[in-house]
Structures are given as structure tokens and as C-alpha cells.
Amino acid sequence: MKKILTVIGARPQFIKASVVSKAIQEKDALTEVLLHTGQHFDANMSDVFFNQLGIPRPHYQLDIHGGNHGEMTGRMLIEIEKVLLREKPERVLVYGDTNSTLAGALAAAKLHIPVAHVEAGLRSFNMQMPEEINRILTDQMSDILFCPTDAAVANLSAEGFDKKPIQVLKVGDVMQDAAVFFARQAIPPQKFNLADKFILTTLHRAENTDNPERLTAIVDALNKIHAEIAPVVLPLHPRTRKIIQEKGLTLTANVIDPVGYFEMIWLLQHCGLVLTDSGGVQKEAYFFGKPCVTMRDQTEWIELVEVGANELVGADTQKIVDAVKRKNGQTIVDEAQLYGGGHAAVEVVRHLV
Ligand code: UD1
Ligand code: UDP
């Protein structure tokens, strides 16, 4: 039996790993050792996903979070290396573009353990984003690159990956697998009493939260939308909550704690529009037929902009409000099957075997 060691640590990675872990469990040829770095640690940022999505308890829980990027990544590197030396897996599996992704890939590469990267090839072409650094370096260290989209494959070709002795495989997006698999488990958040067609908002990217001008412009837009267009529902990331409190900004929207995945699916199913700076939530809007307005200057999911399902508005108050007004209530149809239709995890595992 081949042993795979999977490194996860942040909310979107739990959701991605849930479907792949399930597919691994269905294969006799593979066994998975799960390592949680601890990057996300609040119950509503971590435990809730293990409980709802049936992810096995991690074999290793490192409890590493906070600090600067270098410190967090470095501490993870030290501890992941120890686990790899003990477990001696045949391959390490990493997801996405967080500090946990980079630490997992680097620890493995230094020990000459092959790395497979799920969500490879995505680029924003903005090196100011920590995620861009993490994903470029992780791709460089991997010998199996599981790409979710044609754009991701094209990015890797442009960087010369098609001439390397490694595998670049378009498998579709594992987040669509999760959305399809868990769609019928949707439940409303506790004490939620809004009618349909509210604006579902998430906000946590460093480029927005750590830039006072951008953050203020976004908060102004949310307050305006909440007062003039439709109620804004904002399950608020702890990072953003902390900064908004520190800055003394006033948010009049319906701010709630981060919700579990089943509650998030329910909100996606019942909203009129998604307003976000999240990577994953941009696609989930599309999976659930909702228009998306993205508060960023670039997106890695460029195909959504090309088909008109998503609009980039940066952190410009007026642009945000105008786009929400224009797109609220539209219905989006996935005619092009941009993300593979929910079969990515099985493909990933087939190649791993
Ligand atoms: C990380 C990822 C980002 C991803 C996001 C998903 C990096 C560089 N960034 O950003 O790509 O989109 O996760 O949500 O890896 N905090 C808590 N409780 C938690 C988690 C975080 O209080 O359970 C607070 C802490 O104050 C922490 C801050 O949020 O210092 C930021 O957390 P961190 O993991 O560094 O980055 P994210 O913004 O979550
Ligand atoms: N999500 C969730 N509860 C929330 C907010 C987000 O379950 O309160 C889910 C969301 O549905 C998606 C994932 O978390 O599956 C996206 O994670 P996040 O936005 O934190 O990170 P990103 O995708 O930007 O890296």
C-alpha cells in the first residue's frame, strides 16, 4: 500500500481535502496520513469542517499559527520535516496557496519526497500577494501538478512546465466536487431570519484588510449596499474582525461569525449575489448559479470574468455599489462546465494510484 502524507491547515484546504480523502479511502492501493499545521484553529475555522465533512481526525496536529509569514512558514517547516522523517511517505499532497502549502511542499522537496499539488498553475500575476509567492514556489517543487482549469494549464506552459519531465494534468476543481457532494446538506445559520436575495459577502484578503484605504472604501460600500440595495450578510473572518475593531470602523451590515460549510452552502443557495475577495467563494457563487462581484484587482479564476459571471471591482466604493446594483438577482448558468462538473477528486486519486 502506498503511503501519502497530506498537509492541510487553512479553511479552504479542509473543504478541498474532504473530497480527496474520501476518494483515497475508497482505494485499497493508498493510505493517507493527515497533518494539520494548525494555521486555522478557531472551532468555526477548523473543527466544524472536520465534523461536518467527515474528514478523518489528523494524525498530526501541529498547532502552529500567527506570527509573520517567515516565522509561521519556518516553524511549520521544522515540524513537518520531523513528521516526514518519521512517516517516510512515498508522496506528499498539498492544496492551494497558503503558508501551510508552501511549508509542506518545501519540507518534502528538501527530503526528496515527491510532491503533488492540487490547484496548481493558478496565477494572479501579483507578487504582492502572499498566495502568489506560495503557489509559484509550490508548483516549482512538485512533480504532479493537478490543474483545475485550462487557464492554469496555459499558465504552466507559459512558464515552461510543458518541457519538464513532470506531469501537468487538468483534472477539474475539487471545490466543485465538494459543492456537488454536500449541496443537499445545506442548513441555515442559527437564528437566521432574512428572506432570500440578501447579498452574501466575505472579506479577508490581506491586500484589503491590511490596507486602511482599501478597507475603509470597502466598508463604506458594504454600508451603502446594506442601506440602499439589499441586506448584506457577512460571516466575518477573524482576521478582518480584529482589524475592523482596531481601526474603529463602523459596519452596519449583518455581521455573523464564520459559518460551517453546510451553512455556507445554504447562504449561497439563497442569496441574490455574492460579493467577496475569496478565491473559493468566487467559484462557489458560480456553482450555485449566483452572480459574483469580486473586490480584488485580479483573479486567478479568469474564466468566470470571461463568461460574465464575475466582475472585478477592486476596492472602489462606487464601482462595488454599481456592480452589485446591476448584477443582483441575475441567474448564472454553467453552460461551459468550466470546472469539470464534480469529478476532480476521483481523477486526482486515479493519478496518485
Ligand atoms: C490564509 C491564507 C489565505 C487564505 C485564507 C483562507 C496565507 C498566507 N493566507 O489567510 O490565502 O485565503 O487563509 O481563510 O496562508 N485567525 C484567528 N483564528 C483562526 C484563523 C485566523 O483568529 O482560526 C486570525 C489570527 O489573528 C491570524 C489572522 O487571523 O493571525 C490571519 O490568519 P492567517 O492564517 O495568517 O491568514 P488568513 O488571513 O487566514
Ligand atoms: N467558507 C465557510 N464559512 C465561511 C466562509 C467561507 O465555510 O464563513 C468556505 C467557503 O464556502 C469556501 C471556503 O470557505 O469553501 C473559502 O475559504 P476562504 O474564503 O477562507 O479562502 P480562499 O478560498 O480565499 O483561500
Side-chain angles (χ1 to χ4, degrees), residues 10-12 39-42 45 66 69 72 97-99 130-131 134 204-205 237-239 242:
R11 172 167 70 186
Q39 180 169 348
H40 286 176
F41 50 94
D42 289 343
M45 295 292 288
H69 286 272
M72 189 201 293
D97 52 21
T98 71
N99 291 346
E131 293 84 4
N134 291 341
H204 73 278
R205 286 304 179 117
H237 192 290
R239 171 196 202 99
K242 204 162 100 188

Side-chain angles (χ1 to χ4, degrees), residues 320-340:
I320 297 171
V321 174
D322 289 347
V324 168
K325 204 175 278 174
R326 199 165 1 89
K327 291 176 90 74
N328 189 20
Q330 285 179 1
T331 301
I332 302 295
V333 183
D334 180 16
E335 274 162 10
Q337 286 268 302
L338 294 175
Y339 298 102

